[in-house]
Structure formats: structure tokens, C-alpha cells
Amino acid sequence: MTSLQGVPVSPGRAAGVVVTMPAPLPEPALARLPEGSDVEAAADRVAQAARTVTADLLERAGRASGTAADVLTVTAAMAADPTLATTAAGLVREDRETPERAVWDAAQSVVEQLEALGGHLAERARDVRDVRDRIIAELTGQRPPGVPEPGHPFVLVAHDLAPADTATLDPGLTLALVTEGGGPTSHTAILARALGIPAVVAVTGAARLRDGETVLVDGGRGTVERDPTPDAVAAASVARVHRAVEGQGHTADGVHIELLANVADAGSAKAAAAAGAEGVGLFRTEFLFLGRPEEPSVAEQTRAYHAVLDAFAGRKVVVRTLDAGADKPLPFLTTDGEPNPALGVRGLRTAVAHPDVLERQLEAIAAAAASADAQVWVMAPMVATPDEADRFVDRCAAHGLTRAGVMVEVPAAALQSRWLLDRATFASLGTNDLTQYAMAADRELGALAELSTSWQPAVLRLVAATCDGAHIAELTVPEGRSRPVGVCGEAAGDPALAPVLVGLGVTSLSMAPAALGDVAAVLATTSMDRCRQLARLALASRDAWAARRAVRAALPELDALGL
């Protein structure tokens, strides 16, 4: 067998025939409207096509749930943004460009602006191209971009996938996903994990894979085997099982580890509860705000929050306040043109200039909590200093919200966790951003995929520092007031990394519901002492690959479980 190596992002093994993504739509010809053409009617066609694409994406979002619904909604909001359509219509009127050529040129202008800005905004260039191709397909009657439908199960191979394409993958037909680009915390990787599809990204040589050949994908080891033996194919088919969660998460010696879910709306909350989640470790509230010219009212927010809390009556729900900025700009809250949006005014920092938005959100969360039976915890994103944590705790207390915590996404917060948790009652590690900031590596860039993984020993040391700080803080607060530390980033759903995180001191893991069963199964075979040993192995490694190899070698249960 010939083996290709990539970065593992979604565990599991699967074998099947390759189906490659079709080439993107070709660039339209440089053409002008014929003399005598109705220029206004041609310009209007651009706006109509954009409306049709928006409606289609929103309709698909309505049929999806969780992360897939979120991504489709965000893509629909981009299609609905008048900037692209207005610019294209202007090119039709002023330069007499054909509608499809005008959309291409207008989109290229936006792409160049985003790529020049860099950081998270540069990541959106791919999404602009996706929307561009959908509008052009609508204008020209071509098949819109999307995942092939060969009529049988397959392994999808692509250079990379637009988020809207990944969101529509059918786990019943898509056996595995292989991409040449992307990173372990890219949208493609996150959605693959949410769907429970084995996936490997940043695969060198993926472009050489051809339609119809059989491959075996190991999403835990990051390998793609060409021409596997019949026995290997049969073993991979047996390994592809869905594990249910039974009761609470625990180690082999009975230590309780909360297994929670990441959700964004009532639909994903119900799905998480059905999957056996003990509660919610991350309720992303920003998707209620995205794609809107103004913030939702307190009443609308209250209804949306209550619907999520209802799915977990009597159980913990951790609500993250609005995480706007960077790749999630909001016209009523964030500003355009920041030279480096990832390091700009985002998360809790937006409350400095717009404290009223945070106040109204806390009012809505408190109202929903008062009328629901869930245990409501609230946390702020992008906290970097003890003063920021203290101010957030004060604002929560003013609304009667007594369980107020902080996200640890910035290395400074990890190193200062003892002081952040002096008054904040818990911490939740957002390992996606923590890794990005610690390694100075854009998580969407395939060229930096080896850096963009929470297996990096430097990132694991920041996790350990956060937990150590929490233990010190516990000694200074009134008796009985613990300072739990959870993980709600993508690292929590990695079955091999989960016991390492527990060994570092993490007490809860929040993940995509599809990952709950695998993580529960691994923890149930691993004692707390062994978790600590695995953590020491990972910390002592020189790099991420060495850490992953050392832990997997010490955890043969992973292979036995098909992970």
C-alpha cells in the first residue's frame, strides 16, 4: 500500500472509493452586453440571482441543525450582503459587462481586499468565492458548486471545501473526507467532527488521488492508504460504529468527568440531549446576531435562550456571551478596517464601547434562566486580564447571575488564571483560539496545519497552567467553592487527547454530540493515574507529532475501538 500523510482532524477509520470534488466554475468570458440590450434588466438579474441563492441557503439551513445550520446561515448572510450585488450591478450599468462577468469582477475586488487585510478576514475570501460561484451558476443555468452525488457511499477528496459544502455532507454516504488544504481547527475540520465523519486535512499528494480508486482513511492517525488489502477494508468497515453514551462520563476508576455538548440553538440542543450529553459546555449565542443590521431584542433573545435551556432541564448550560469581531463582524457592534482583526476588538472587548449590548444580553439570559429549570452558567469570551474578569462578574451579579466565568483563549489568561479565578467561578478553555495565539498560526491555513493543533506541547502547558492557577485560586476562596476548568474547544472531542486533558486537571469536556460516545468509551478504559501518565508523556514530547505518537502508543485501546 502507498500511504499519504496528513493532519488527523476527525477520528475513525473508513474505506471506500474516491470521488473528487468537481472543478470550480470557470471564469466567465470577458464580454459586453450586445447593443440594444436592456441594461437595467441585466443589472436587476444580479440582485435576483443573489436573492435566489440566499433563499436556497436559508432553506437548507432550516433543514439542518447545529453547526451545519450555523454555517449555512452565515453563508446566506454573505450572499444577502448588498455589497457584492450592488458593485456587480454598477459594472453592468457603467461598463456594460454581462451579469456573470460583473459578479466575477466584483467578487475579485472583495477577495483582494480581504486577503490584503490578512488574519480572520482573509479566511472569508474563500467564502466570497463560494457565494460568487453560486450566483454565477444561478445566472448561467449551470450546476451550482457542491458535493457530488454518485449514488453510493464514497470517500470525498478535495483541495478544500467551502463551509457551506461541508455542512451539507451526508454521513450516511460520505465515508471519509480528505483535503489537500485546511487545518485541524478549520471550518472543514470542525464540521467533519460534528458530523462524525473520519477526516484528514493538509494531505500531501491528495491531488494525485483519482476517482474510482479505493482508499483507507484513518482519521486518528492522519493517514490515507491507497489500494488497501481486502482484509484492511473489511476491518475498517467493522470499525465504523456509532457509540452511545450511557450515564455520566467517568474514568476507569470512577472519577466523574462531565461530558457536555457545544450547541448554538434549540435544534442542536435537543440533538445533544438525545445524544446523551450531561449538559451544555458551550452555548454559542452569536448566531442569533449574525447577518442582521441590528441586535435582536431582549424579548427575542430571551425566547431563543429559553428554548435551549428547556432541552436541559435540571442540568448545566454554559452560555457564552456574544463573541463578535474578527471572522464574525456585526455592523452594530464592530468596526471595519482593523489592521489585524484577530488581535482587535472582539469578544468581551466590544463591551467597552458598547456596554449596552452586553447589558441587554445579560438581561435576556437572566430572564430565560428565571423561567427555566436549567443550571445557568455564563462566561465571557476573549478575557485577557483580571480586571476584565472582575468587571464581567460584577455585571453578571447585577442581573442575578451568580455563576460567572471566563473563556481562556489568550495565553495571558492561561498564565494569569489564578487571578482571573479570584472572583470568576469557573474557566473554559477555548483551545482553537488558544492554539492559534500560542503558535502564531492562522488555523485556516493548510501550510500551518502542523502548528495549528492542540497537541502542541506548548499549548498543553498552557492548559496545565490554567488548571494549576485554578487550584491555587480555590485555596483563597470560601470553603466549598471550587474553580472547575473545562475545555470547549475542538480538542475536547479528540478521543486520544481527552485523557491527556483530564490528566492535566480538566474536569469537563464539551464537544460536538457525535464525539461523545467515542470520548466516553476511551475515558472508561483509562484510570485517573493513567491519564496523568499520558499527560506527562505529552508534555515531555518535543513536538505535536511526537506527543500524539507517544500517547497513542500508550493507549492501545484506541486501535481496539477503531479510533
Side-chain angles (χ1 to χ4, degrees), residues 316-321 348 358 362 365 375-381 383 386 388-407 417 419-428 477 481-484:
K316 180 169 79 173
V317 176
V318 182
V319 183
R320 182 177 70 185
T321 56
L348 185 62
L358 176 62
L362 293 176
I365 294 170
Q375 303 167 24
V376 178
W377 297 25
V378 187
M379 64 182 179
V383 174
E388 290 175 341
D390 290 349
R391 286 195 293 270
F392 181 71
V393 171
D394 287 339
R395 296 322 309 148
C396 288
H399 291 275
L401 299 166
T402 59
R403 297 292 285 180
V406 294
M407 288 281 289
S417 62
W419 297 109
L420 267 67
L421 292 169
D422 189 43
R423 294 185 58 210
T425 59
F426 68 97
S428 186
V477 296
R481 293 297 299 275
S482 64
R483 291 293 188 259

Side-chain angles (χ1 to χ4, degrees), residues 456-481:
Q456 290 288 351
V459 176
L460 296 178
R461 289 190 181 279
L462 291 172
V463 174
T466 304
C467 296
D468 291 345
H471 294 322
I472 296 171
E474 287 175 355
L475 301 176
T476 67
V477 296
E479 186 177 355
R481 293 297 299 275

Side-chain angles (χ1 to χ4, degrees), residues 137-192:
E138 177 64 26
L139 286 167
T140 58
Q142 299 179 72
R143 178 181 175 276
V147 177
E149 298 179 0
H152 57 77
F154 61 97
V155 173
L156 180 63
V157 176
H159 173 72
D160 202 357
L161 291 179
D165 287 331
T166 316
T168 57
L169 293 178
D170 181 353
L173 290 175
T174 309
L175 300 173
L177 175 63
V178 176
T179 68
E180 191 175 29
T185 54
S186 65
H187 289 299
T188 297
I190 291 170
L191 285 163

